[in-house]
Amino acid sequence: MSFDFDTVVARRGTGCIKYDRKPNLDPFWVADMDFVSDPAILSALHERVDHGIFGYPQAHVGLVDAIRGYLKTRRGVELKEEHLIHLGGLVPALSLAARAFCGDGGELMTCTPVYPPFLGVHHDADAKLLTVDHIFKNDRWEFDWEEMKKAVSPNTKLFLLCNPQNSLGRAFSAEEVTKLAGFCEKHDLVLVSDEIHCDLVFDEETTPHFSAAQLPEALAKRSITLLSPSKTWNIAGLGYAFALIPDDSIRRRFNAARGHTLAEINALSYYAAEAAYKEGEPWRQELVAYLKTNRDELVRFINDECEGLKIHAPEATYLAWIDARGLGVENPANFFEQEAGLFLSDGAFFGWPGYVRFNFACPRSRMLEGLEKMKTAIENLRTGA
């Protein structure tokens, strides 16, 4: 079967933040894809809509079975249903974890650059944020273990991990995740692992994704693994995710933090998630192959044709983390907005000013148009045009 990732679909005016937040700009910022979702998902949604009644929903048996099959096939993990918590999204889960474990004035640790909500959810808990920069070592981005040891304190209660890493594109190895879990055990931290991009790894033989759910039992018991089909199958707007929490005490504290703050999960999202996990593998494989070609061309273009920019090829995600400090401009994202008409993510929001993030999950023709606009803006900067 062959799916179409080349057709440009008009999205402006459909109420999506990617195109309608700044409608005068060409958007390559927020992490959603410009691809029509898997036909299997569309079919499942049509069938559910045709039923015609949308009362208060709950997770149905088909969804749980699909998650069970997915975890077994993709991660080698046996689902224990009592460990499973259904959620309306992963960002609320980050906030819940902060409130559950840092609400007593504790500290939350994470490594930067990172998805902006990681740097904001501590406010929900009146907690303190500790950040340690990733370092480039051994030809890849890694944890700075020595700085993490210096930063952690008896008040630190939680570690937020993004794996695969948004925005660096690292798929952390089993050794790294296990070492991090050991660090959390030593310092009595709960490890929250956001794995929303885990099915977007480009070479699963060389850099396979290792889930916190795969940790040895002694380490896994202090973990919260967060998963969702939303990024991989482009259904983020439907709002479904889930948590795996093996430890009863941690699970109770997490659930207790909900209070009455979370809305019911969308009735359609359950069926979209079921279809993604049960029938979406052929589409996912073709998607990743297409994204890999986009990634390779983007990396070549940035490093070869854009003076002042550089990038290390991401192992996962469809998000390119571009070092723009060599341009010599105060705010690269603002520069490309003003001079190229592009909407890119500003690295400052991820904790690293001087960088931009470029979403290459789009038809190749659109990606190339965006890259050419960047190149022209840089050439004009260099020549004073």
Side-chain angles (χ1 to χ4, degrees):
M1 185 178 294
S2 181
F3 301 100
D4 178 14
F5 298 106
D6 285 312
T7 297
V8 176
V9 178
R11 299 185 63 191
R12 189 164 276 112
T14 63
C16 67
I17 67 169
K18 184 174 185 178
Y19 282 80
D20 294 340
R21 175 70 58 84
K22 295 183 178 182
N24 58 315
L25 299 177
D26 194 4
F28 295 92
W29 66 295
V30 70
D32 79 2
M33 300 190 286
D34 289 336
F35 305 130
V36 174
S37 297
D38 185 348
I41 294 173
L42 301 182
S43 177
L45 289 172
H46 280 296
E47 184 176 347
R48 180 65 184 85
V49 167
D50 287 345
H51 180 267
I53 299 177
F54 308 101
Y56 292 117
Q58 68 175 18
H60 55 287
V61 173
L63 171 60
V64 176
D65 287 345
I67 292 173
R68 179 178 287 109
Y70 163 79
L71 291 172
K72 178 64 175 177
T73 300
R74 297 284 296 145
R75 302 288 164 248
V77 171
E78 295 286 351
L79 174 65
K80 294 184 179 179
E81 195 169 341
E82 64 271 22
H83 297 176
L84 175 63
I85 298 175
H86 303 282
L87 299 162
L90 287 197
V91 173
L94 299 175
S95 177
L96 284 178
R99 284 181 277 146
F101 302 103
C102 300
D104 55 356
E107 299 168 345
L108 177 158
M109 176 182 280
T110 194
C111 293
T112 49
V114 72
Y115 180 49
F118 278 56
L119 305 178
V121 295
H122 66 288
H123 293 298
D124 297 343
D126 293 323
K128 181 180 178 181
L129 175 67
L130 303 178
T131 62
V132 176
D133 286 345
H134 285 287
I135 56 175
F136 195 75
K137 185 179 179 181
N138 301 316
D139 202 34
R140 65 184 188 181
W141 293 105
E142 296 188 352
F143 295 103
D144 190 337
W145 301 107
E146 292 305 314
E147 289 301 316
M148 288 164 59
K149 291 175 186 175
K150 293 176 185 177
V152 71
S153 82
N155 289 327
T156 313
K157 306 298 182 184
L158 197 68
F159 189 99
L160 298 186
L161 170 67
C162 192
N163 181 34
Q165 215 280 347
N166 173 10
S167 53
L168 298 176
R170 267 303 312 280
F172 294 114
S173 67
E175 179 182 4
E176 289 171 298
V177 176
T178 303
K179 184 175 180 178
L180 179 61
F183 173 87
C184 291
E185 181 182 47
K186 179 178 180 180
H187 296 285
D188 195 23
L189 314 181
V190 174
L191 172 62
V192 178
S193 183
D194 178 347
E195 302 179 8
I196 197 168
H197 293 277
C198 67
D199 292 305
L200 296 168
V201 177
F202 297 117
D203 188 339
E204 293 191 329
E205 291 189 6
T206 303
T207 57
H209 178 259
F210 183 82
S211 172
Q214 295 172 274
L215 287 165
E217 184 176 354
L219 296 176
K221 70 179 183 180
R222 62 170 58 248
S223 71
I224 298 173
T225 304
L226 302 176
L227 293 159
S228 173
S230 63
K231 298 300 183 188
T232 302
W233 285 276
N234 206 26
I235 50 176
L238 291 174
Y240 175 75
F242 63 94
L244 300 175
I245 309 180
D247 183 78
D248 289 342
S249 176
I250 291 176
R251 191 165 60 250
R252 285 196 299 269
R253 289 181 65 179
F254 182 86
N255 277 325
R258 289 187 181 209
H260 300 283
T261 62
L262 300 185
E264 300 288 339
I265 297 171
N266 187 299
L268 298 178
S269 68
Y270 285 126
Y271 289 85
E274 178 190 13
Y277 285 137
K278 186 177 290 184
E279 304 176 67
E281 182 60 11
W283 190 89
R284 185 195 74 84
Q285 290 188 14
E286 289 196 26
L287 167 73
V288 172
Y290 190 92
L291 291 175
K292 184 176 185 295
T293 303
N294 272 10
R295 178 206 65 175
D296 293 346
E297 175 57 18
L298 180 145
V299 169
R300 184 207 65 76
F301 192 100
I302 291 294
N303 286 333
D304 293 351
E305 302 192 36
C306 295
E307 182 183 355
L309 302 184
K310 61 182 179 179
I311 182 175
H312 302 290
E315 298 167 348
T317 83
Y318 47 76
L319 304 166
W321 186 243
I322 302 170
D323 184 349
R325 292 173 296 176
L327 289 180
V329 300
E330 183 177 353
N331 185 321
N334 185 63
F335 166 77
F336 285 117
E337 177 174 328
Q338 297 298 320
E339 304 301 326
L342 299 177
F343 190 178
L344 307 179
S345 296
D346 186 345
F349 295 117
F350 299 76
W352 280 19
Y355 288 74
V356 293
R357 195 189 70 173
F358 185 109
N359 176 350
F360 57 87
C362 56
R364 193 158 299 122
S365 60
R366 252 192 49 72
M367 181 190 76
L368 293 173
E369 286 176 4
L371 292 174
E372 288 290 348
K373 290 177 181 179
M374 293 178 73
K375 178 181 177 181
T376 299
I378 293 169
E379 290 174 344
N380 290 339
L381 175 69
R382 298 303 183 205
T383 61

